[in-house]
């Protein structure tokens, strides 16, 4: 079993004791991504659409560092601060999975770090 840490400057640096991602053999696990612009270190948008777009870009960057694309994602877990944003979130999310979308869970949570409206984590296969 080989465990490798994934780290890229094209996604936000960890704000706690965790890695952006871990590769374990052929599996890739990302930490939850919130809508932080890695260049600015802060949340970039007020709208759920803008925040969802940044979250997906952050996930894409971590996966790219591991050598895979979004098409290799098999499972996502999505956290929304307000389930009323579900349809708008899906509009953005769906653009990243035009065919064969991954399995997914989606939850409303009481709060997310830095007041974010959305957080997404994923599992991908190399």
């Amino acid at each position: 079993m080989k465990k490798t840490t994934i780290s890229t400057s094209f996604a936000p640096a960890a704000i706690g004791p965790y890695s952006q991602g871990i590769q374990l053999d052929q599996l890739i696990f990302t930490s939850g991504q919130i809508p932080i612009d890695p260049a600015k270190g802060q949340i970039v948008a007020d709208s759920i659409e803008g925040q969802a777009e940044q979250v997906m870009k952050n996930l894409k960057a971590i996966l790219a560092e591991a050598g895979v694309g979004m098409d290799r994602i098999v499972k996502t877990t999505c956290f929304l601060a307000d389930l009323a944003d579900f349809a708008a979130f899906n509009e953005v999310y769906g653009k990243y999975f035009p065919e064969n979308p991954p399995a997914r869970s989606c939850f409303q949570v009481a709060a997310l770090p830095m007041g974010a409206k959305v957080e997404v984590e994923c599992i991908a296969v190399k």
Side-chain angles (χ1 to χ4, degrees):
M1 174 173 72
K2 183 178 179 194
K3 178 180 166 184
T4 306
T5 300
I6 302 165
S7 181
T8 177
S9 62
F10 295 106
I15 57 175
Y18 60 89
S19 300
Q20 290 174 326
I22 295 290
Q23 181 172 339
L24 180 64
D25 296 328
Q26 297 302 307
L27 293 175
I28 299 164
F29 301 85
T30 70
S31 290
Q33 294 299 300
I34 60 174
I36 296 175
D37 178 323
K40 296 178 181 176
Q42 56 190 332
I43 291 180
V44 295
D46 292 327
S47 71
I48 185 64
E49 295 88 353
Q51 289 196 14
E53 191 69 44
Q54 185 64 52
V55 164
M56 300 309 283
K57 287 178 184 176
N58 292 346
L59 286 174
K60 188 174 183 178
I62 295 167
L63 294 175
E65 184 66 25
V68 300
M70 300 288 278
D71 61 321
R72 303 302 293 176
I73 295 175
V74 295
K75 173 72 167 79
T76 62
T77 305
C78 308
F79 307 94
L80 298 175
D82 187 347
L83 212 49
D85 289 333
F86 187 76
F89 168 72
N90 273 340
E91 286 295 318
V92 175
Y93 179 93
K95 293 189 311 185
Y96 287 85
F97 305 107
E99 296 179 9
N100 303 314
R104 178 178 94 172
S105 301
C106 189
F107 304 94
Q108 177 174 312
V109 295
L112 291 167
M114 299 177 69
K117 295 180 181 213
V118 60
E119 180 173 349
V120 179
E121 64 184 28
C122 73
I123 301 170
V125 178
K126 191 117 182 177

